Amino acid sequence: MKCIYLDHSATTPVDPEVVTAMNPFFSMHYGNPSSMYSIAEISRDAIEQSRSTIASFINASPKEIYFTSGGTESDNQAIFTTAQKQKHKGMHIITSSIEHHAVLYAFQQLEKEGFDVTYLPVDSYGIVSPSSLQKAMRSDTTLVSIMHANNEVGTMQDILSLATIAHEKGALFHTDAVQAIGKVPVDVQLMNVDLLSSSAHKLYGPKGVGFLYAKKGTPFSSYLYGGGQENKKRPGTENVPGIVGFAKAIELAQNRSLDDHQHLQNLATFLTDGIQNLVSDVLFTGHPTQRTPGHVSVCFKYVEGESILLMLDSHGICVSSGSACTSGSLDASHVLLAMGIDSATAQGSIRLTMGRQNTMEDMKAVLNVLPEIIEKLRKMSPLC
Amino acid sequence: MKCIYLDHSATTPVDPEVVTAMNPFFSMHYGNPSSMYSIAEISRDAIEQSRSTIASFINASPKEIYFTSGGTESDNQAIFTTAQKQKHKGMHIITSSIEHHAVLYAFQQLEKEGFDVTYLPVDSYGIVSPSSLQKAMRSDTTLVSIMHANNEVGTMQDILSLATIAHEKGALFHTDAVQAIGKVPVDVQLMNVDLLSSSAHKLYGPKGVGFLYAKKGTPFSSYLYGGGQENKKRPGTENVPGIVGFAKAIELAQNRSLDDHQHLQNLATFLTDGIQNLVSDVLFTGHPTQRTPGHVSVCFKYVEGESILLMLDSHGICVSSGSACTSGSLDASHVLLAMGIDSATAQGSIRLTMGRQNTMEDMKAVLNVLPEIIEKLRKMSPLC
Amino acid sequence: MYTKKVKDHFMNPRNVGSIENADAQGEIGNPQCGDIMHIDIKVENGVIVDIKFQTFGCAAAIASSSMVTEIAKGKTLIEAEKLTNQMVADALGGLPPAKMHCSNLAADALHRAIQDYRRKHPEVE
Amino acid sequence: MYTKKVKDHFMNPRNVGSIENADAQGEIGNPQCGDIMHIDIKVENGVIVDIKFQTFGCAAAIASSSMVTEIAKGKTLIEAEKLTNQMVADALGGLPPAKMHCSNLAADALHRAIQDYRRKHPEVE
Ligand SMILES: Cc1ncc(COP(=O)(O)O)c(C=O)c1O
Ligand SMILES: Cc1ncc(COP(=O)(O)O)c(C=O)c1O
């Protein structure tokens, strides 16, 4: 059965050009970048070339890019090490209530360690209002971390305004841009951020590699202890093929960004309109316009997300669900709840995130089966 | 120029069979293992299959294997989280003075945080004597970490004796087996260890993936915060191709272990004898027999390691050096110094670590140029 | 993740719906956890002659509801009372650990329906 | 890592060795850091007419020793005294940052040789 993959926010297929770029670094240019002999220079140069490509894509300097094992590690390093390094300045740190667990649980851990944490609320679109940040800022606030684009509902924040408020009070600003990079322009200067996290596998790069941008002079440090790699900020033998693949993925994103953007918008609009017309009692979540392209998140009342997901899967359509059942926890998505959606409705959420390869035919295929799936499940539901 | 690679302890070329095993997981079976739809099951199954392969190789149960981003992370997680989790039991922890920086710097960091650390000495062969551990053990000792095989000099410890002593006093035992796995039999039951670290790129697997073995019931925890992957012990989207490649590398090691072992021994013996016969004033370091196969480490008096390394490189021969110059620090190797070697001699150290692909011809090529290189450098040396 | 049997009962659930003039009904679950199960039964001479369910929930919840109706149909109330959630899970070839607690409550819903019946018919043994 | 010039001076060092009946000599370095440089000079009429070095150390140490001898040869003592380690590094097309402090001491060794010469020949300007 043909598979229609509509879960690009979970992960993306690695672009064949990316695989081709990585390949020589497995068995041919395998030298350890820390070694002194000439063949290792090829690995070292490849890393530095990759660093430059990525830096210029986000308007940073190469020295401000540190490679990590992924988005989770980047988020953790940014948050834990800056909070610790600024402890003498203050113990108040701020985040939003819709962060990914890689940020949220880091803050909860710091809270356990004695930090005072403010979790900013969001409005019904998932927007953190600059005025709420303004009010939360204190003289002992050292770090603000607010995600650029939300993974569940696609809402994008006004990072420049938020970062500017943080800076006015002398706090650092970190943003988790894992869901933004490759989909929308990300310019660390225009956004005025100190730290930014990214993960390659969300933009057609390989799993297991990410980067942390840290502006020159930012007080952060290595989260792991060991060798002197990555300018002493991230020990461990570098994942050379992964880093090269990440840079290639960024290069492709750069070349295709305009086309991709328009294409994804078109797909999402078509799908949204179709669902709206064909199914009753639906609630589209996230901001109507301030959102990542190709991202449709919707709650179907009276039914539960996992059931929808699995029925779509039986038709070869891959989507994800924000329901409690799929997250491994028993509570409905903390993101949807923070947006004021009641938990029964939140249980019926489905996320469809489109990618480069998707076509209008794919959208039509979804619209072809989704209404009857919802009908079938609602017939089974005691809530109808 | 043909390259004779003799630095397999730094990293290894990825075996083409490993690349072949990884390939389908980039662009074809790319599903996020945490996703619910059927295509993600392929990724999930591949991880579990890999976990089983690796577990059975070291005589562990699959649930005791946790995938990480490499040896450094495995070491850090093992050390930091067990020390913290057992803080109520005691604050005394023990390691050796010849550990890799991924272990050594973790202990130094814990020392800064208030732990009492004993760094056990080694003898002139780099052996930690069980009796010195016995003497160092206290009622408040909670963790002992001693590496299985040393990366610089190849010396292997009697892990069973050391672990047994640690257990008698109720402490956990961790071993950094990054340099042992794939070269010598590693059986966690026979060795009686609680925690063990490994990194794929040291055994013809890919860079950027490792595992931590933690015996059932061992009080350790996640070092990173985020999603619930790896049984809640290691968050972040799994590096599926990396994990699959690691398992394939382990499988190959298993199939080839006897052949590899004999081959590497032969090469090392031939090279050692040759150097001994052709060059004066040399000091072979590490234990003569209790060492990893294919590992020759030697100090050439009156000359400095980086110079030897670069001159060998100009002949297409890749080796590494324990000299201060290559490590980025100014001090000679802490391993050689701990073994009682004076710092001038330690500066002249060279490590040649052979691999599967190497031949007797390669050894002859080294012996063909090494004596004249040493002679040339000694002619330049004010110490001669 | 799910066994073939779970998938079958999820995709083709047996005894979906409600019974007009049901003799008794039982409901369990809460929307927080994302599962609500409702069971209607029709009883004749102490035997469950008809049973139907409605479930809001994940595949495990739907499949275990379907399975419990299939097992209970034709059973005496006394036999049906002995059914446990674990037996339902076993009949499905097992459920993922995360689903055992929250989504595997169909037997409890059935017991509530039987309780309801006994309350209304205290004369039945 | 190293420039072409460094590699050239390392692989083909100029003026290696010692001078019999040298007029003066200078040495700098320590075995801890792994670099020791020794320079012999022969001086005629205030001009360095011959210069040789011996160095225990890495490629940067050897190359900067070689380079300093090449620059100093034929220079007056006064000119040679103005040579700095930085100038030697520049003449080599630069050195890696890690090597600037420890391995780039050849000009200092030369200065010590000149000092030694001046001590022995206080009459020379
Ligand atoms: C917003 C966000 N942050 C962080 C992460 C973590 O990235 P990774 O799984 O690559 O560690 C993800 C994806 O899982 C994400 O969507
Ligand atoms: C003994 C030892 N431990 C730990 C490591 C760290 O492994 P990695 O570089 O894969 O993080 C290495 C290799 O660099 C090693 O040789």
Side-chain angles (χ1 to χ4, degrees), chain B residues 332-384:
Chain B
S333 147
H334 69 283
V335 174
L336 298 175
L337 297 180
M339 289 162 62
I341 295 169
D342 67 280
S343 56
T345 302
Q347 296 287 4
S349 91
I350 283 292
R351 176 185 72 179
L352 307 101
T353 43
M354 277 62 85
R356 265 175 214 157
Q357 308 285 326
N358 291 128
T359 60
M360 276 295 172
E361 293 311 308
D362 295 342
M363 302 302 99
K364 287 176 190 160
V366 173
L367 293 175
N368 216 21
V369 297
L370 188 60
E372 66 197 44
I373 286 171
I374 302 300
E375 199 189 327
K376 180 175 176 181
L377 287 170
R378 282 183 178 165
K379 273 207 181 125
M380 244 187 266
S381 171
L383 300 180
C384 276

Side-chain angles (χ1 to χ4, degrees), chain A residues 134 137-139 141 164-171:
Chain A
Q134 184 87 60
M137 292 298 302
R138 306 190 323 213
S139 60
T141 310
T164 305
I165 290 166
H167 289 154
E168 273 164 13
K169 292 277 186 173

Side-chain angles (χ1 to χ4, degrees), chain B residues 167-179:
Chain B
H167 289 154
E168 274 164 12
K169 291 278 187 172
L172 292 178
F173 193 90
H174 167 253
T175 191
D176 174 343
V178 169
Q179 292 290 345

Side-chain angles (χ1 to χ4, degrees), chain A residues 70-72 75 100 147 151 176 178-179 199 201-202, chain B residues 236-237:
Chain A
T72 299
D75 282 339
H100 188 269
M147 73 199 307
N151 43 310
D176 174 344
V178 168
Q179 292 291 344
S199 191
H201 73 97
K202 305 288 188 185
Chain B
T237 304

Side-chain angles (χ1 to χ4, degrees), chain B residues 292-369:
Chain B
T292 43
H295 190 300
V296 174
S297 58
V298 52
C299 294
F300 296 94
K301 291 192 184 168
Y302 321 128
V303 297
E304 194 270 346
E306 187 200 284
S307 294
I308 309 172
L309 184 164
L310 290 176
M311 290 208 171
L312 284 170
D313 184 35
S314 76
H315 291 276
I317 297 167
C318 304
V319 307
S320 81
S321 139
S323 78
C325 277
T326 47
S327 67
S329 97
L330 296 179
D331 303 320
S333 147
H334 69 283
V335 174
L336 298 175
L337 297 180
M339 289 162 62
I341 295 169
D342 67 280
S343 56
T345 302
Q347 296 287 4
S349 91
I350 283 292
R351 176 185 72 179
L352 307 101
T353 43
M354 277 62 85
R356 265 175 214 157
Q357 308 285 326
N358 291 128
T359 60
M360 276 295 172
E361 293 311 308
D362 295 342
M363 302 302 99
K364 287 176 190 160
V366 173
L367 293 175
N368 216 21
V369 297

Side-chain angles (χ1 to χ4, degrees), chain A residues 9-11 68-75 98-103 147-152 176-180 183 197-202 206-210 351, chain B residues 32 224-227 229 234-238:
Chain A
S9 286
T11 194
T68 68
S69 68
T72 299
E73 186 186 335
S74 297
D75 282 339
I98 58 162
E99 298 294 316
H100 188 269
H101 286 154
V103 169
M147 73 199 307
H148 191 179
N150 181 272
N151 43 310
E152 290 189 33
D176 174 344
V178 168
Q179 292 291 344
K183 295 187 194 120
S197 304
S198 175
S199 191
H201 73 97
K202 305 288 188 185
K207 294 174 177 71
V209 58
R351 177 185 72 178
Chain B
N32 188 318
L224 291 164
Y225 293 81
Q229 289 93 345
R234 209 294 185 173
T237 304
E238 300 90 336

